[in-house]
Amino acid sequence: MRSIVGQESARAREARFEMLMRAVADPLHRYLLRRADAGSVDDILAETMLVLWRRLDDVPGLGTGPDVPADDVLPWCYGVARGCLANARRAEGRRLRLVERLTRAVLPPQRPDDADHTALHDALAALNARDREVVLLWAWEELTPRAIAEVTGLTPNAVSIRLHRGKKRLAALLERKNGTHAGRTTRAGRSAR
C-alpha cells in the first residue's frame, strides 16, 4: 500500500515538474544565451533544471493545478539560473587559474647560458587561456588538432581555428616586441612562412 502511495506521489511530482519546465525552459534558455557563451548554455540550463527539480516544493507560485503561471514562477527560476551561471563562471575561473599554474610549472627554468625567452613567455601570457592551451599542446606536446580536440573537449575544427588564430597572434606579438618579422628565414634571407 505504501509503495502505491509513493508511486502516485512521484508521478504527481513529475507532472508538476513537467508543467514548470514547459513554462520556464524557453525563457531561461534565452536568459542564459544573453549571459554565457553558447558552448556552456546547455550545461548551465541542465544544472538549473536539476536545482529546480530538487527544490520543486520551494518554487513560489507553483500550485498543483494544471497551469503554471509563468509570471509567478519565472523570477524565482531566474534567480536559480543566475546562481548556476555564477557557479559555472567560478568553476571556469578556477579551471583557467589551474591551467595558468600548470603552464608556469611546466615552463623550464631559465639558465643563465640559455637564450632569453622572456618575449615568448610574455607573448604566450597575452593569449587568451584557451588559445594558449591549444598552442602549447601543439608546440610542446606535438599533438595534432584531432588529439588536442580530445584533450580540450573542443571540435577538431575549433581547435584548428584556435591554433591558427593563436599562432598568428603570437607571431604578431613577437614581431611587435622584437621589431622584426617573426617568420622563419631561408638562406636567401626571405621569409619561409
Side-chain angles (χ1 to χ4, degrees):
M1 184 76 166
R2 184 173 179 176
S3 65
I4 294 173
V5 172
Q7 288 175 352
E8 289 175 7
S9 175
R11 277 191 232 128
R13 182 175 172 81
E14 288 173 15
R16 287 179 66 213
F17 182 71
E18 287 174 13
M19 288 185 304
L20 178 64
M21 289 306 97
R22 280 194 295 274
V24 301
D26 287 338
L28 290 177
H29 189 259
R30 287 190 303 270
Y31 172 85
L32 292 170
L33 276 175
R34 288 188 289 272
R35 286 161 178 81
D37 64 278
S40 61
V41 166
D42 290 338
D43 291 337
I44 299 168
L45 182 61
E47 183 66 27
T48 302
M49 297 305 173
L50 181 60
V51 172
L52 291 176
W53 168 256
R54 288 179 183 153
R55 298 194 56 200
L56 189 62
D57 294 332
D58 298 335
V59 178
L62 181 62
T64 56
D67 291 326
V68 174
D71 293 340
D72 293 345
V73 296
L74 259 176
W76 194 83
C77 294
Y78 282 140
V80 171
R82 185 173 179 267
C84 291
L85 178 60
N87 289 342
R89 286 179 177 159
R90 281 191 296 275
E92 180 66 10
R94 284 190 303 271
R95 189 190 70 75
L96 292 176
R97 286 189 299 278
L98 176 61
V99 168
E100 290 287 331
R101 283 197 319 266
L102 290 174
T103 301
R104 283 193 300 270
V106 297
L107 291 175
Q110 193 169 352
R111 294 181 299 243
D113 58 336
D114 283 350
D116 182 19
H117 297 291
T118 305
L120 174 61
H121 294 298
D122 290 345
L124 281 169
L127 296 177
N128 74 45
R130 186 65 63 91
D131 288 349
R132 180 176 44 255
E133 179 181 19
V134 167
V135 168
L136 292 177
L137 286 170
W138 172 79
W140 289 354
E141 310 308 325
E142 299 179 356
L143 296 180
T144 64
R146 184 176 306 275
I148 294 170
E150 211 171 304
V151 171
T152 60
L154 298 169
T155 65
N157 187 45
V159 167
S160 294
I161 291 168
R162 285 185 176 278
L163 184 57
H164 174 74
R165 182 176 50 207
K167 289 191 304 186
K168 187 175 179 179
R169 175 126 165 82
L170 191 61
L173 289 166
L174 289 172
E175 185 176 313
R176 196 174 323 134
K177 179 80 172 173
N178 297 328
T180 60
H181 225 28
R184 297 184 315 250
T185 56
T186 64
R187 285 191 186 138
R190 292 185 298 185
S191 175
R193 287 204 287 182

